[in-house]
Amino acid sequence: MGEFEVTLCSDGTYLLDGGAMFGVVPKTMWSKRTPADELNRILLGLNSAVVRTGKHTVLIETGIGNKQSAKMREIHRNSPQLPASLAAAGIRPEEIDIVLNTHLHFDHCGWNTTLHPDGSVTATFPNARYFAHAGEVAHGHLQLDRDKVSYLSPNYDPLIESGQMTLLTAEGVRANPEIVPGISVEEFPGHTAQMLGIHIASRSHGGASEHACYIGDLIPTAHHLDPTWVIGYDLDPVRCIAERKRFYARAIPEQWTVLFTHDHHTPAARLSLNDKGKPVARADWQIRVPPVSAGAQLP
Ligand SMILES: [Zn+2]
């Protein structure tokens, strides 16, 4: 992408309830786009992006990780594989110098830290500075009935205690959104109150700028592009609809490459409007991957 190299890696796939992922959308509609198994679960990806800017190696999002209980792994049918995926791309954990989390739900920051057989938890990326939103940490620590199962403190508390994780504030993000040159963050509230989108902006050799955006759970898959097809887990679905429209107002005319965190099949696409005026993945500009060989599978 311009002068940057962007590599899509993955912590594999997992299963979630299809109804929860599509909120109020009827199953008769969403199941045409993504099939459900006999337990009503759909297959989702856990996509990370590694951006080599020339000066920095930035990891966006770290999947589910290896701290899940056997029971949770049985429910989600996931098989942690981000370290192997990074190794396959020739990326050593020591090279990563920036780690960014869009928010701190368990399926976005799991490999921030690694659980060892002796029960200890250490930073997976020893030389990285980690960044997350202070509001996400505060919300996770509240352990509210609605979403406490999504916030697992071993994914971030050890990094905060060691000083390796920098907590961003709303004022800080607005005043100084750039993390390193070419990589910046922006709040897209709704899924959580402070969810961050990650902008990747590079000049191409010809001088034109290229823009990609890792939009986190505001738009988890290419099946969720309709502004009203928001997720059941969203804390504020009405805000999500407004934020999606705000996103499309720039992403479509400026032809951003949109990176989808949970789409195992189409991890990236540029967008256009179809004949009904709805945003869709451009047929002539999307990255498609064949079904993965490890992790959750639908029959
Ligand atoms: Zn989430």
Side-chain angles (χ1 to χ4, degrees), residues 103 105 107-108 191 217:
H103 61 303
H105 282 165
D107 50 344
H108 292 258
H191 177 67
D217 277 348

Side-chain angles (χ1 to χ4, degrees), residues 14 16 20-21 61 63-65 67-68 72 76 101-112 136-137 139-156 191-192 217 231-235 262:
Y14 68 138
L16 282 181
M21 278 306 285
E61 224 80 314
I64 289 182
K67 291 181 239 56
Q68 277 197 307
M72 292 308 283
H76 293 124
N101 298 135
T102 61
H103 61 303
L104 294 174
H105 282 165
F106 77 99
D107 50 344
H108 292 258
C109 59
W111 279 112
N112 278 4
E136 275 290 307
V137 175
H139 185 95
H141 285 167
L142 289 176
Q143 288 288 284
L144 300 176
D145 290 341
R146 160 78 177 185
D147 56 8
K148 65 184 170 197
V149 295
S150 294
Y151 287 95
L152 308 177
S153 63
N155 290 336
Y156 39 89
H191 177 67
T192 66
D217 277 348
I231 322 179
Y233 300 107
D234 292 337
L235 292 184
H262 292 312

Side-chain angles (χ1 to χ4, degrees), residues 3 14 29 56 74 104 110 132 182 206 209 237 249 262 271 281-282 286:
E3 293 174 342
Y14 68 138
M29 294 173 76
H56 293 280
E74 173 62 24
L104 294 174
S209 64
H262 292 312
L271 310 182
R282 262 174 56 179
Q286 50 181 277

